[in-house]
Amino acid sequence: MSYIDISSNREFISLDNTILYPQNKHYMTGGMEYYALLSATYIATSDETIVKDIVEKGNNHNLFTWTYSDLSQQVKYVIQDKTKWIQMQLMLTLLILIFTFISITVAYLQFIIQYTYEFGVHILSGATKKDIIFRVCMQLVLLFILANSISAIFMHDANQLITSLIITIVSCLLLWIIPIVKIMRTTIDQMLRWR
């Protein structure tokens, strides 16, 4: 069970590991300890009459003034905060993804430029451009297989693992576009004259 902390719009307090225990008033040294306890008291219930009864009893003792706050009024603010937080996370993720795609594409192109002559010799030895493309693309596949293997160890939810694999496959396909086009457009003459 969880409930929303009234003092903070986006805080959800988990009650799963919470223990409610009475305080011994003989160990209290002053009224401030009572105030600290009572001001931080939240009652999570689905029955409003229970809370209203507790508030009435507290007010009848004339020690503290209790207020009753219904969390349903705060839900729209919590949703707004969560929406902003998710949008910010998505924006950061998108920026990191764009930077990663650019970095990997540049590294791929540098690799192709560095080994273009070797690719030409490989083709003269009987290979095809498909073999070269397979050789270049397998480097990224091995990296993603390693990353997904590590993720599979820590992910216990099958849906998360499937989502991770789908994202990996889509990322591979997108990252391969530019290197494949570069290799396919380079002729054997250009490869052998690259030096």
Side-chain angles (χ1 to χ4, degrees), residues 112-153:
I112 291 169
I113 288 169
Q114 184 177 356
Y115 292 99
T116 300
Y117 181 77
E118 184 180 323
F119 295 155
V121 172
H122 196 182
I123 289 175
L124 282 178
S125 301
T128 63
K129 285 190 177 181
K130 289 180 183 178
D131 296 328
I132 303 295
I133 291 170
F134 180 78
R135 175 181 165 192
V136 170
C137 292
M138 278 307 292
Q139 295 174 355
L140 192 61
V141 170
L142 294 174
L143 180 68
F144 278 135
I145 288 173
L146 178 65
N148 279 312
S149 299
I150 293 170
S151 297
I153 294 170

Side-chain angles (χ1 to χ4, degrees), residues 54-83:
I54 292 171
V55 169
E56 270 184 46
K57 287 180 183 176
N59 290 334
N60 289 338
H61 284 74
N62 293 325
L63 296 173
F64 293 94
T65 302
W66 294 69
T67 58
Y68 167 66
S69 298
D70 187 4
L71 295 180
S72 63
Q73 299 168 359
Q74 194 180 5
V75 169
K76 63 180 180 180
Y77 301 112
V78 173
I79 291 172
Q80 287 174 358
D81 280 355
K82 287 292 182 186
T83 303

Side-chain angles (χ1 to χ4, degrees), residues 15 23 29 31 46-47 64 74 113 116 155 190 195:
L15 299 179
Q23 297 289 319
T29 57
S46 58
D47 188 3
F64 293 94
Q74 194 180 5
I113 288 169
T116 300
M155 286 187 199
Q190 291 171 332
R195 276 191 175 175

